[in-house]
Amino acid sequence: MLKVVKFGGSSLADADQFRKVADIVKSESSRRYVVASAPGKRNSRDEKVTDLLLQTYKLAKDKKDIDEIFERICERYRDIIKGLGLDYSLEDEFANIKMAILHRAGRNYVASRGEYLNSRILAKFLGFTFVDAEDCVFFDEKGELDAEKTNAEIKNILSVCEYAVIPGFYGINTEGSIRTFSRGGSDITGSLVAAAVGADIYENWTDVSGMLMADPRIVDSPLPIPEITYRELRELSYMGASVLHEDAVFPVRKAGIPINIRNTNSPADPGTMIVSKAGTSIVDTVITGVAGKKGITAIHVEKDMMNSEVGFGRRVLEVLENHGVAFEHLPSGIDTMSVLVTSKAIEECKGAITAEMVKTVNPDSITLVENLALIAVVGRGMVNTEGTAARVFTALAKEKINIRMIDQGSSEINIIVAVEEKEYEKTINTIYREFVK
Ligand code: ASP
């Protein structure tokens, strides 16, 4: 058994958290490769080291003093080293980094130092080899990840290294400069390492015990999701339920490696397993989760005999394309077509879009319905369970919630309903309660 374990910023925010991490890593000898984030927030008012670093970058760019913020960053690391009782110093590193920032080092380099320094301490504390991400994570000329080269080099380096700590979030580009992934990108590094070494499992340790069936800010104490498929995850993440960087899924999914979301503060919890194909576990809730998003506008286009007019849909969508607007969903009837877009995307151009649609497709009517919310009921269990849609609609009808639109994808793992934004929370609660007693 071989596990790659990634710890997020809150799991490595201070010395106490480092100790929890070490206990987790050391409790199983299969946890051989550890990917680390920069120190995160210790409490809700605290700041992430990555954010502090970015502030120093900005200050240096504006030719302002970085001393105070930089000192706060150093203190975070000094506290961790001291709290762990390590005989170790990063003072030379601090001086080099400060110098680089003052000499206008690139934004990516500055942002990456949080992971670099934290990983040095963690490697020391665990007694593992430190393997720098700049030696094994590569970006191409366009700034995109060079997946092949990265895979080969991680494999190569780690083949002679039994236990290692690798900083997340960054790598190196073709010019030899540090480049980072987008925010939260340590998840991607973990996934790349897991795929390269052919891990049996990629454990992603964070501060929640996996994914929940619904947003806990909306539903009171929602149940955790024990197992979810990659496809279901995609549907729920699209609606905003996220525990993982979106790009982190691809490398492990391709390699057929499951991801296990775990809680550093509650390591006994099994967390959520993200798998290609669900095992034998019975989904007794029928649905896997419910999530949604507000800020949706529907453009309803109506025209008699639309169904027989070749190219009608294409022309409608072309208008959006010309304005650089992507559509979210496309529920349609016989003589009506509705295009759902985010209200933000058409904020500036809604007048122009409707005018152009009138011109290009000459519809009988065109109406914009704003302030809608989309809610997705997601579950692989729905395919084999009759009456799921009926249950959703009946439950909403009982609560007098007006469904403005329905969309069931051909995948049959989700049903999407559109309701008025003001009914958003009530809709999610109603659906959740219908399936979870
Ligand atoms: N430290 C980086 C961030 O705050 C990357 C990460 O934590 O995954 O976005």
Side-chain angles (χ1 to χ4, degrees), residues 6 9 37-38 48 50 115 169 182-187:
K6 179 257 166 180
S37 277
K48 292 180 173 191
T50 310
E115 280 44 32
F169 192 38
S182 58
R183 294 301 301 267
S186 297
D187 285 343

mmCIF file of all heavy atoms in Angstrom, residues 6 9 37-38 48 50 115 169 182-187, ligand 1:
data_model
loop_
_atom_site.group_PDB
_atom_site.id
_atom_site.type_symbol
_atom_site.label_atom_id
_atom_site.label_comp_id
_atom_site.label_asym_id
_atom_site.label_seq_id
_atom_site.Cartn_x
_atom_site.Cartn_y
_atom_site.Cartn_z
ATOM 1 N N LYS A 6 -1.746 14.907 1.267
ATOM 2 C CA LYS A 6 -1.587 16.357 1.131
ATOM 3 C C LYS A 6 -2.259 17.031 2.317
ATOM 4 O O LYS A 6 -3.380 16.673 2.696
ATOM 5 C CB LYS A 6 -2.210 16.822 -0.187
ATOM 6 C CG LYS A 6 -2.109 18.324 -0.415
ATOM 7 C CD LYS A 6 -3.408 19.024 -0.160
ATOM 8 C CE LYS A 6 -3.246 20.528 -0.063
ATOM 9 N NZ LYS A 6 -4.499 21.238 0.195
ATOM 10 N N GLY A 9 -3.557 24.286 4.304
ATOM 11 C CA GLY A 9 -3.001 25.344 5.140
ATOM 12 C C GLY A 9 -3.453 25.322 6.589
ATOM 13 O O GLY A 9 -2.665 25.568 7.505
ATOM 14 N N SER A 37 0.961 22.522 2.155
ATOM 15 C CA SER A 37 0.565 23.899 1.836
ATOM 16 C C SER A 37 1.342 24.865 2.731
ATOM 17 O O SER A 37 2.035 24.450 3.657
ATOM 18 C CB SER A 37 -0.919 24.101 2.149
ATOM 19 O OG SER A 37 -1.728 23.665 1.109
ATOM 20 N N ALA A 38 1.144 26.142 2.497
ATOM 21 C CA ALA A 38 1.702 27.184 3.369
ATOM 22 C C ALA A 38 0.823 27.295 4.617
ATOM 23 O O ALA A 38 -0.337 26.883 4.586
ATOM 24 C CB ALA A 38 1.703 28.498 2.618
ATOM 25 N N LYS A 48 -3.589 34.152 5.977
ATOM 26 C CA LYS A 48 -2.782 33.071 5.419
ATOM 27 C C LYS A 48 -1.411 33.619 5.043
ATOM 28 O O LYS A 48 -1.318 34.748 4.535
ATOM 29 C CB LYS A 48 -3.409 32.563 4.125
ATOM 30 C CG LYS A 48 -4.713 31.839 4.272
ATOM 31 C CD LYS A 48 -5.146 31.420 2.867
ATOM 32 C CE LYS A 48 -6.354 30.541 2.932
ATOM 33 N NZ LYS A 48 -6.644 29.910 1.651
ATOM 34 N N THR A 50 0.347 32.874 2.517
ATOM 35 C CA THR A 50 0.366 33.210 1.079
ATOM 36 C C THR A 50 -0.166 34.633 0.850
ATOM 37 O O THR A 50 0.381 35.388 0.044
ATOM 38 C CB THR A 50 -0.479 32.195 0.274
ATOM 39 O OG1 THR A 50 -0.070 30.888 0.642
ATOM 40 C CG2 THR A 50 -0.327 32.391 -1.224
ATOM 41 N N GLU A 115 4.851 27.757 0.827
ATOM 42 C CA GLU A 115 4.894 26.292 0.756
ATOM 43 C C GLU A 115 6.337 25.818 0.947
ATOM 44 O O GLU A 115 6.595 24.831 1.630
ATOM 45 C CB GLU A 115 4.451 25.800 -0.614
ATOM 46 C CG GLU A 115 3.011 25.692 -0.995
ATOM 47 C CD GLU A 115 2.032 26.779 -0.656
ATOM 48 O OE1 GLU A 115 2.441 27.954 -0.629
ATOM 49 O OE2 GLU A 115 0.865 26.465 -0.432
ATOM 50 N N PHE A 169 1.708 23.662 -4.768
ATOM 51 C CA PHE A 169 1.380 24.977 -5.316
ATOM 52 C C PHE A 169 2.288 25.504 -6.435
ATOM 53 O O PHE A 169 1.879 26.328 -7.210
ATOM 54 C CB PHE A 169 1.339 25.986 -4.169
ATOM 55 C CG PHE A 169 0.756 27.340 -4.471
ATOM 56 C CD1 PHE A 169 -0.342 27.486 -5.316
ATOM 57 C CD2 PHE A 169 1.279 28.489 -3.880
ATOM 58 C CE1 PHE A 169 -0.897 28.740 -5.573
ATOM 59 C CE2 PHE A 169 0.739 29.748 -4.125
ATOM 60 C CZ PHE A 169 -0.351 29.865 -4.971
ATOM 61 N N SER A 182 -3.094 28.161 -9.774
ATOM 62 C CA SER A 182 -3.979 29.157 -9.187
ATOM 63 C C SER A 182 -4.180 28.837 -7.705
ATOM 64 O O SER A 182 -3.778 27.761 -7.235
ATOM 65 C CB SER A 182 -5.311 29.220 -9.941
ATOM 66 O OG SER A 182 -5.919 27.967 -9.931
ATOM 67 N N ARG A 183 -4.815 29.744 -6.976
ATOM 68 C CA ARG A 183 -4.947 29.605 -5.523
ATOM 69 C C ARG A 183 -5.553 28.251 -5.154
ATOM 70 O O ARG A 183 -6.430 27.739 -5.834
ATOM 71 C CB ARG A 183 -5.798 30.741 -4.952
ATOM 72 C CG ARG A 183 -5.184 32.130 -5.067
ATOM 73 C CD ARG A 183 -3.843 32.282 -4.365
ATOM 74 N NE ARG A 183 -3.848 32.016 -2.945
ATOM 75 C CZ ARG A 183 -4.015 32.925 -2.000
ATOM 76 N NH1 ARG A 183 -4.206 34.178 -2.313
ATOM 77 N NH2 ARG A 183 -3.965 32.580 -0.727
ATOM 78 N N GLY A 184 -5.061 27.709 -4.065
ATOM 79 C CA GLY A 184 -5.533 26.388 -3.644
ATOM 80 C C GLY A 184 -4.837 25.265 -4.408
ATOM 81 O O GLY A 184 -5.216 24.100 -4.315
ATOM 82 N N GLY A 185 -3.801 25.639 -5.159
ATOM 83 C CA GLY A 185 -3.186 24.691 -6.090
ATOM 84 C C GLY A 185 -2.345 23.571 -5.492
ATOM 85 O O GLY A 185 -1.903 22.684 -6.230
ATOM 86 N N SER A 186 -2.143 23.569 -4.185
ATOM 87 C CA SER A 186 -1.389 22.442 -3.604
ATOM 88 C C SER A 186 -2.141 21.130 -3.814
ATOM 89 O O SER A 186 -1.522 20.059 -3.884
ATOM 90 C CB SER A 186 -1.159 22.658 -2.107
ATOM 91 O OG SER A 186 -0.379 23.808 -1.906
ATOM 92 N N ASP A 187 -3.449 21.215 -3.918
ATOM 93 C CA ASP A 187 -4.252 20.020 -4.218
ATOM 94 C C ASP A 187 -3.792 19.382 -5.527
ATOM 95 O O ASP A 187 -3.806 18.162 -5.671
ATOM 96 C CB ASP A 187 -5.732 20.407 -4.419
ATOM 97 C CG ASP A 187 -6.447 20.715 -3.111
ATOM 98 O OD1 ASP A 187 -5.940 20.336 -2.053
ATOM 99 O OD2 ASP A 187 -7.526 21.334 -3.184
HETATM 100 N N1 ASP B 1 -1.050 28.451 -0.282
HETATM 101 C C1 ASP B 1 -1.750 28.529 -1.527
HETATM 102 C C2 ASP B 1 -3.037 29.300 -1.352
HETATM 103 O O1 ASP B 1 -3.288 29.844 -0.291
HETATM 104 C C3 ASP B 1 -1.974 27.194 -2.153
HETATM 105 C C4 ASP B 1 -2.691 26.185 -1.306
HETATM 106 O O2 ASP B 1 -2.834 26.332 -0.102
HETATM 107 O O3 ASP B 1 -3.129 25.181 -1.875
HETATM 108 O O4 ASP B 1 -3.797 29.412 -2.276
#
